[in-house]
Structures are given as C-alpha cells and as structure tokens.
Amino acid sequence: QVQLVESGGGLVQAGGSLRLSCAASGRTFSRYAMGWFRQAPGKEREFVAAINWPGGSTDYADSVKGRFTISRNNAKNTVYLQMNSLKPEDTAVYYCAGNRAPLITRIYNYWGQGTQVTVSS
C-alpha cells in the first residue's frame, strides 16, 4: 500500500500562487496514475487534476484549466500541483490521490490526509 503526504498549503491573496507537493512512500510509486482533488466546506469533493504514469498526459477540471499545472518527479516519488491566479473559490482542502494503474483516470485507490488552501479576497 502506498502512503501519500501532502504539503505546501497555506493562506494566499487572490491572484497569488502556491505549489502543493505530494510525497509517496511504501509500495512503489512506479506505474501509479496520480491526481488532485479538493473539498470546500459544505461541498462534495471534486476532481482538480490528474496525470498518468510516467507523466505524458494530464487532465484538468474546467474550473482550473489554464491556471493549475500538475506534474510529477518519478525519481523523487512526488507529484506537484502548481496553482496560479488563485481565486477565493479555490479555497478548500486539497487531497492527493493515487491509482495502481498507469492510465489517466478520475478514480483512485489511495488518498492523502489533505492540506488546507485558503485564498483571501
């Protein structure tokens, strides 16, 4: 089983940037598709971005397309989410997720504990 630990969340003003990291340990990171989700207070968890193994394909929610970029460093077993032009509606707990299959997907087997992102207006 793979363990996922997110970091990089925090408080930022609207228009600012943050980069989230997700470090994987335990079972090999190899051949895992990875994704990011978020959950705002009172709302359901929603898909944000996904990347396949080894990283040639990506997928984004319409709400973040053009502002967020998902990437991975397989040598470091780490996935990143670069978030630019942040908006107050991006405020949420962000979760990293992993799937045992390499193809890009919005369905995941493993989840991190989440990191809070707060965007002030």
Side-chain angles (χ1 to χ4, degrees):
Q1 180 171 333
V2 66
Q3 288 80 45
L4 304 174
V5 179
E6 303 95 335
S7 61
L11 174 64
V12 64
Q13 289 188 333
S17 298
L18 281 176
R19 188 176 81 155
L20 305 183
S21 299
C22 172
S25 61
R27 289 177 67 101
T28 179
F29 187 63
S30 177
R31 297 187 61 78
Y32 273 62
M34 300 297 295
W36 287 95
F37 286 71
R38 67 187 182 186
Q39 187 167 18
K43 295 186 177 181
E44 294 187 352
R45 186 170 57 192
E46 64 174 359
F47 168 77
V48 174
I51 190 166
N52 72 330
W53 169 270
S57 295
T58 56
D59 180 25
Y60 296 94
D62 288 343
S63 59
V64 306
K65 202 170 292 184
R67 300 188 298 122
F68 290 12
T69 302
I70 187 171
S71 62
R72 65 192 298 163
N73 184 326
N74 296 326
K76 295 184 177 181
N77 287 351
T78 302
V79 177
Y80 305 98
L81 184 68
Q82 178 66 44
M83 306 185 294
N84 298 330
S85 302
L86 283 161
K87 304 174 181 179
E89 52 263 44
D90 294 318
T91 295
V93 177
Y94 282 71
Y95 297 91
C96 175
N99 186 298
R100 289 188 293 265
L103 298 178
I104 203 162
T105 180
R106 296 191 180 190
I107 300 172
Y108 292 89
N109 312 109
Y110 303 105
W111 296 87
Q113 84 290 348
T115 185
Q116 177 71 46
V117 171
T118 303
V119 184
S120 62
S121 57

